Amino acid sequence: METLVDTYKRNVSLGKIQREKAQEELLTRFDALRISVEKKQRKLLFSKSPVTPKGIYVWGGVGCGKSMIMDMFVASLKVAVRRMHFHSFMQEVQSSLNLARQSKVKDALVPVVKKITDELNIIALDELQIKDIADAMIVGRLFEALIKGGMTVVITSNRPPIDLYKNGLNRDLFLPFISFIEANFDVFEVSGVKDYRQTLIAGDKVYFSPLNLESRDYMDLLWSNLTGNSSHEFTLTFKGREIRFPFYKDGVARFDFFEICGQMLGPGDYLAIIDAVRVLMIDNIPQLSRSNFNEAKRFVTLIDAAYESKIRFICSAAAEPEMLYTEGEGSFEFGRTASRLREMQSKTWLNAS
């Protein structure tokens, strides 16, 4: 059987990826975990309670390849596994808890965890962040119950365990979960790897106008390069509201202009969206004017958030930045937005670390 390290080396030799020592070391740990998990499943035929293999908590900067490696691990498994974005997983858990509480069960977490552990051997959770007090208060008991129930959990995050829920409300109640992660997971930092998404778009054109078939083809090509044309819907919950991402993978999101600027979203919503991505693609930005003033105003707010957060921004638009909004209320102030759109196309911006 080909190991994950073998697969990785083959992809390096084919020029699909660049060899990184930290990634290769992480893959050896995932290879060992795969063997342990599959051995546990064989032992279940003869023993009711074989030891549950210790999970892996991978953290590192944006674009270091941690999600790619986790996906390789998931694809290699021959046991029941589910790969989810952490936010989506917690939304499912919270919904299941609400249903369980309606049945007047003594501890709603018990049936929720039992259903998960009955169906899966491994759950792989991508991009763990704790920002919601509801998640912070339940996540410790949840993970402890999952592992006690025989589940192996694999996690990726941009943060080390000690920085989770940093400065959060009632964080002292959350600290035992950090200790639990450190005691029950193999914590591994993927360090010294440059953002591969940055490399893919550095020096490339990222603003396409006018809106025509050529612009669409360029947008599709960059999307393919960044995601392998593999994506899923993702719903972000912010202050009780749901914000739908129609196309999302590993921090790369793609929207049509009216999907992101045609909704009644405010500065806080756009900050939450930007916080969830490192590359944002927007298709079909129209000519802006007094006839679509509300959309134009939201677009300005979105660009401000993207600029301040230093994310990569790729778009197709009806006109060049300076000609995108030339008449109507706010058109004079749009000059700053046009300037920012220009700067976000520059090599200095794209090559920034």
Side-chain angles (χ1 to χ4, degrees):
M1 178 187 291
E2 186 177 61
T3 67
L4 293 171
V5 173
D6 290 337
T7 303
Y8 182 81
K9 288 181 176 178
R10 177 162 50 81
N11 287 334
V12 169
S13 68
L14 292 172
K16 293 182 178 180
I17 54 177
Q18 183 175 335
R19 182 178 180 270
E20 298 285 354
K21 185 177 179 182
Q23 292 178 351
E24 199 168 318
E25 183 181 344
L26 176 58
L27 282 164
T28 64
R29 302 192 184 200
F30 273 117
D31 266 326
L33 179 57
R34 179 176 66 169
I35 292 169
S36 297
V37 169
E38 292 178 349
K39 185 181 293 184
K40 176 197 172 187
Q41 285 308 105
R42 290 193 294 270
K43 284 184 177 181
L44 276 172
L45 297 172
F46 309 101
S47 171
K48 291 186 178 180
S49 56
V51 175
T52 299
K54 196 174 188 180
I56 299 177
Y57 180 106
V58 186
W59 70 278
V62 171
C64 67
K66 54 189 181 295
S67 297
M68 172 192 73
I69 290 171
M70 186 175 77
D71 286 345
M72 289 175 63
F73 169 68
V74 168
S76 74
L77 292 169
K78 292 182 172 60
V79 298
V81 60
R82 190 177 180 196
R83 191 260 201 220
M84 298 184 69
H85 191 282
F86 177 75
H87 289 305
S88 298
F89 173 66
M90 290 306 299
Q91 286 169 25
E92 283 194 11
V93 167
Q94 294 288 0
S95 295
S96 298
L97 286 171
N98 290 335
L99 284 174
R101 291 181 186 116
Q102 292 173 19
S103 64
K104 308 298 183 183
V105 67
K106 184 177 180 181
D107 184 350
L109 192 64
V110 173
V112 172
V113 168
K114 187 177 187 305
K115 185 177 187 299
I116 297 172
T117 54
D118 282 350
E119 294 175 353
L120 300 172
N121 304 114
I122 294 184
I123 190 160
L125 301 174
D126 196 28
E127 299 186 40
L128 184 147
Q129 293 186 66
I130 307 291
K131 294 186 176 181
D132 189 307
I133 184 66
D135 289 348
M137 294 301 99
I138 193 64
V139 73
R141 285 188 63 222
L142 171 64
F143 276 62
E144 186 173 356
L146 288 172
I147 291 172
K148 188 176 180 180
M151 175 78 67
T152 295
V153 183
V154 175
I155 295 169
T156 73
S157 179
N158 291 338
R159 301 168 181 264
I162 193 64
D163 284 348
L164 291 172
Y165 199 50
K166 197 169 186 178
N167 302 320
L169 183 65
N170 295 325
R171 189 173 186 259
D172 56 323
L173 301 177
F174 181 78
L175 295 178
F177 176 63
I178 294 175
S179 299
F180 177 81
I181 289 285
E182 293 172 340
N184 291 276
F185 286 76
D186 178 8
V187 179
F188 184 91
E189 179 188 4
V190 183
S191 60
V193 180
K194 190 173 183 178
D195 185 346
Y196 75 96
R197 298 186 201 104
Q198 173 184 321
T199 303
L200 285 170
I201 61 175
D204 287 343
K205 188 175 180 181
V206 293
Y207 188 104
F208 304 99
S209 68
L211 296 176
N212 55 25
L213 184 60
E214 184 180 13
S215 293
R216 189 182 72 184
D217 286 346
Y218 275 122
M219 291 289 286
D220 288 344
L221 178 61
L222 280 173
W223 174 256
S224 178
N225 287 342
L226 291 165
T227 68
N229 270 336
S230 171
S231 67
H232 56 87
E233 283 194 19
F234 167 57
T235 301
L236 175 68
T237 300
F238 177 71
K239 293 187 176 180
R241 296 189 299 280
E242 292 188 347
I243 304 171
R244 176 179 164 272
F245 290 49
F247 302 100
Y248 181 89
K249 183 178 180 182
D250 300 339
V252 184
R254 187 174 184 179
F255 294 84
D256 183 83
F257 175 81
F258 286 99
E259 289 172 330
I260 195 168
C261 293
Q263 302 183 59
M264 293 182 65
L265 301 176
D269 300 294
Y270 288 122
L271 286 171
I273 291 170
I274 295 302
D275 196 43
V277 306
R278 295 311 299 170
V279 179
L280 177 63
M281 298 182 67
I282 299 182
D283 294 283
N284 304 315
I285 301 171
Q287 187 72 55
L288 302 173
S289 67
R290 57 174 57 89
S291 66
N292 51 20
F293 169 71
N294 289 327
E295 290 84 357
K297 187 175 179 181
R298 294 184 195 116
F299 180 65
V300 169
T301 302
L302 173 64
I303 295 305
D304 284 346
Y307 181 88
E308 295 298 335
S309 296
K310 298 290 189 288
I311 69 162
R312 303 318 191 258
F313 181 74
I314 305 170
C315 70
S316 62
E320 293 295 331
E322 294 79 10
M323 302 303 295
L324 198 57
Y325 190 13
T326 58
E327 56 93 15
E329 184 181 351
S331 58
F332 178 79
E333 291 80 2
F334 190 81
R336 185 186 68 162
T337 302
S339 175
R340 289 187 163 187
L341 285 168
R342 281 293 180 195
E343 185 177 349
M344 293 164 79
Q345 299 176 52
S346 69
K347 288 185 178 181
T348 301
W349 181 275
L350 295 172
N351 288 317
S353 58

